[in-house]
Structures are given as structure tokens and as C-alpha cells.
Amino acid sequence: MPRVSSKIPGVQGCAVERTLSLIEGKWKIVVLYKLLRGTLRFNELRRLMPLVTQRMLTHQLRELEADGLIIRTVYAQVPPRVEYSLSARGRSLEPVLMAMKEWGDTNLSSQEAQAA
Amino acid sequence: MPRVSSKIPGVQGCAVERTLSLIEGKWKIVVLYKLLRGTLRFNELRRLMPLVTQRMLTHQLRELEADGLIIRTVYAQVPPRVEYSLSARGRSLEPVLMAMKEWGDTNLSSQEAQAA
DNA sequence: CATCACGGTATCCTTTTTGACACTATGGGC
DNA sequence: GCCCATAGTGTCAAAAAGGATACCGTGATG
């Protein structure tokens, strides 16, 4: 099924790279990771990630949405209510996120944090 | 299954993030991916990735080395000979790389490349 | 009428990343 | 002596990413 771009010879890694490019943004994986547990409102996300500025969070969310990884639902209410949840596509990234988390837990345990 | 890191409260995603930070560089995953198949010399890598400038490749390799993911072996020969290979730590990233590759192959097959 | 909460925007600036391009050292071969 | 290959460095500039800060619109509430 390595049906990637087929043609281009030296660019097999492309699939890996393109996958990476979707989750590269500074806080994107964190967002995805949080959303694995369920839908969250904008400000709930903010509270979970106090270090992210509003502008950044909005921006990352918009990109994740554009890439079809999350779904943004706006409720026409007065204090606005906007909910974010993973799309099927986004949820399918779970194995990737988990592989990364496990690797990190194992290999970055502050102990051997730097070069082993 | 919210088994997170337990300790640090607001920074559970940290492991994931830090893992990501090691492979984020523009061409790093490609390098790692290529090295999964075995040791390569500097120019072999260059030939495999014609779009990377020499400066960039060197830079990425240095960072990968600093993070303990690859091993750089210099042979004191006259046309210099420098070989790069994965360290044990680097090789342990294989599941992550594979998870990403598989996701990419499945979800980025040019067809549904954009938002599903 | 002022205030509040929510979910943003807009603007500006700094830092980081990436790229272009040229230059270097070494020792062997011609 | 000059050129070659390998594996780099160095410098500069462009582009992308990220951050700080401030402002906006809407109804409900007081």
C-alpha cells in the first residue's frame, strides 16, 4: 500500500514527513492528546494549556481543523460556545500519539533526558 | 486509562511534546527513516535527499547526534569518511516512525490528502 | 447604562528555522 | 604544482513560527 507519490524516487519518507507536518505546530499534539479524552470547549483547552496564548491556540485549532483532524462546532448562543472534538481522522492518530508518548516516557525520564 | 504521567499536573502532554521535539527538524525523520535500513555515509545521505542543502543536513545530523539518536563515526582517512548510524535509542524510535508512516500511507494517499 | 463571559481578531515584533552560496582542509593521483 | 573527492564551515538573507498586547461583538445581568 505504499501508494504514496510512487514516482519520485528519493522521497519515500514522504508519508512520514507529511504525517509529521500535520502535528508539528508548537501545541498541536497537546491539543490532540487532550481531545483524545473527549470534546472540549475553547476556554477549557486554554485552561488546560495556560502557556499558550489565545492567538496561538486559535491558530493551531484552525490548522488542525483545516487538516481534518478536529471538528469545530459553534453553537449560536450568546456567550459563544465552541466545542472542539477529534474527527475520525484525528482519532486515528491515536496510535501515533501513543507511540510517541510511550517513547517519551521511556526515554526522556529526566534521567537519561540527554543523550544516552 | 487516563494514566498519564501522574506527577506533573498540567504537563502530561510533555512526554509527547518532548518526543516530537526530537524529530521535528525539517529532515530529521527522513534521516532516521533512512538509517533504519543501515549505516550511511554523509554523501550517501545527501544523494538520498537531494533537496537538503549540505549545511542543513550537517545541522540536522549534529542535532540528532546531540540527542543521542544517531552515532557519528569518523574514520581518519584522507578523503574523509564519516558514517552515520542509529544508536539503540534512535532505533527504539522505530515504532513511532512506523506508526507515522502507516498513518500517512493510509490517510494521505493524495486522494483524501486534504481534510476528509 | 456598565459589566461580564466567551471566543475570538488585528497588529506588531522577536526568535527560530531554513536556504543560497561560497569557502576550507587533506592527501593521493596525474 | 594542480585537481579531485569527502565532509564539512561561515556568512548572510529570507521566511516561517511564535509571542505580546490590545481590541471586538453579543446578549444577559445588575
Side-chain angles (χ1 to χ4, degrees):
Chain A
M1 204 174 283
R3 226 20 329 252
V4 200
S5 249
S6 60
K7 314 310 186 350
I8 323 112
V11 199
Q12 312 94 317
C14 227
V16 196
E17 266 215 289
R18 296 211 289 156
T19 300
L20 181 59
S21 75
L22 298 186
I23 58 179
E24 256 184 342
K26 190 86 184 285
W27 306 95
K28 282 187 187 173
I29 4 154
V30 186
V31 170
L32 292 173
Y33 200 82
K34 302 286 185 194
L35 289 181
L36 276 178
R37 284 174 183 114
T39 298
L40 288 171
R41 296 181 57 167
F42 184 76
N43 274 359
E44 288 174 333
L45 279 167
R46 283 197 70 187
R47 277 187 283 274
L48 289 172
M49 306 183 286
L51 297 178
V52 199
T53 64
Q54 194 167 29
R55 183 188 156 292
M56 259 300 118
L57 183 55
T58 302
H59 189 62
Q60 303 295 295
L61 288 168
R62 286 288 154 40
E63 285 191 2
L64 288 170
E65 190 194 6
D67 288 332
L69 299 179
I70 65 174
I71 293 166
R72 177 169 180 264
T73 312
V74 183
Y75 296 88
Q77 299 181 358
V78 163
R81 173 189 182 83
V82 180
E83 289 185 348
Y84 292 94
S85 58
L86 289 183
S87 66
R89 185 187 178 84
R91 187 160 294 281
S92 72
L93 269 175
E94 187 163 359
V96 175
L97 298 181
M98 285 324 196
M100 290 180 59
K101 169 164 171 39
E102 267 151 43
W103 192 89
D105 284 345
T106 305
N107 295 273
L108 299 171
S109 29
S110 61
Q111 197 60 179
E112 50 201 335
Q114 294 301 17
Chain B
M1 207 172 290
R3 251 276 70 221
V4 207
S5 218
S6 59
K7 313 310 193 334
I8 324 114
V11 199
Q12 311 94 317
C14 225
V16 195
E17 267 215 287
R18 296 212 287 158
T19 300
L20 180 59
S21 76
L22 298 185
I23 59 179
E24 257 184 338
K26 188 87 182 282
W27 307 95
K28 281 186 185 175
I29 5 154
V30 186
V31 170
L32 292 173
Y33 199 82
K34 302 287 186 194
L35 289 182
L36 275 178
R37 286 181 180 106
T39 297
L40 288 171
R41 297 182 56 170
F42 184 76
N43 274 0
E44 288 174 332
L45 279 167
R46 284 197 68 187
R47 277 188 283 273
L48 289 171
M49 308 184 282
L51 298 178
V52 198
T53 63
Q54 196 167 27
R55 185 187 154 295
M56 258 299 118
L57 183 54
T58 301
H59 189 61
Q60 304 294 297
L61 288 168
R62 285 288 157 27
E63 286 191 0
L64 288 169
E65 190 195 5
D67 288 331
L69 299 179
I70 64 174
I71 293 166
R72 178 170 178 263
T73 312
V74 183
Y75 295 87
Q77 299 182 359
V78 164
R81 173 189 183 83
V82 179
E83 289 185 349
Y84 291 94
S85 57
L86 290 182
S87 65
R89 184 187 178 86
R91 185 160 296 281
S92 71
L93 270 174
E94 186 163 359
V96 174
L97 299 181
M98 286 323 196
M100 290 180 59
K101 169 164 171 42
E102 267 150 45
W103 192 88
D105 284 345
T106 305
N107 296 273
L108 299 171
S109 28
S110 60
Q111 195 64 174
E112 51 198 335
Q114 292 303 17

